[in-house]
Amino acid sequence: MNDPKLEKFLATLYVDVKARARFLEAPREEAAKAGLNPAQCDALVKIDRVGLEMAARSFERKRQKKMKG
């Protein structure tokens, strides 16, 4: 079952450069601040950081394209 808090947190990481930077500096702390449970925080500590950055750049390009066209 998907958790809306987790989904919102991940969406924020994809679109908010500052939030993503804070998360990458202190993933467990930022996840906990977002109200995620300990298991979710543990999982996010192990997130694929390169994949996170790549996805964020991809989403940004898509947003830019959509705004232009």
Side-chain angles (χ1 to χ4, degrees):
M1 181 155 89
N2 293 335
D3 181 339
K5 280 186 188 179
L6 177 59
E7 290 178 9
K8 181 179 178 184
F9 183 72
L10 289 171
T12 299
L13 294 182
Y14 291 133
V15 300
D16 186 325
V17 174
K18 290 180 183 179
R20 191 166 55 254
R22 285 191 307 271
F23 169 76
L24 292 171
E25 282 291 316
R28 185 177 311 278
E29 292 81 358
E30 290 299 312
K33 281 184 200 175
L36 301 180
N37 67 45
Q40 291 167 324
C41 293
D42 289 344
L44 286 167
V45 166
K46 300 173 189 171
I47 197 167
D48 175 1
R49 292 167 174 247
V50 172
L52 174 64
E53 292 289 354
M54 288 175 61
R57 284 194 299 271
S58 175
F59 293 141
E60 177 60 27
R61 283 192 300 272
K62 287 177 183 178
R63 280 192 306 278
Q64 293 298 323
K65 235 182 203 182
K66 189 173 183 178
M67 290 173 63
K68 290 180 183 180

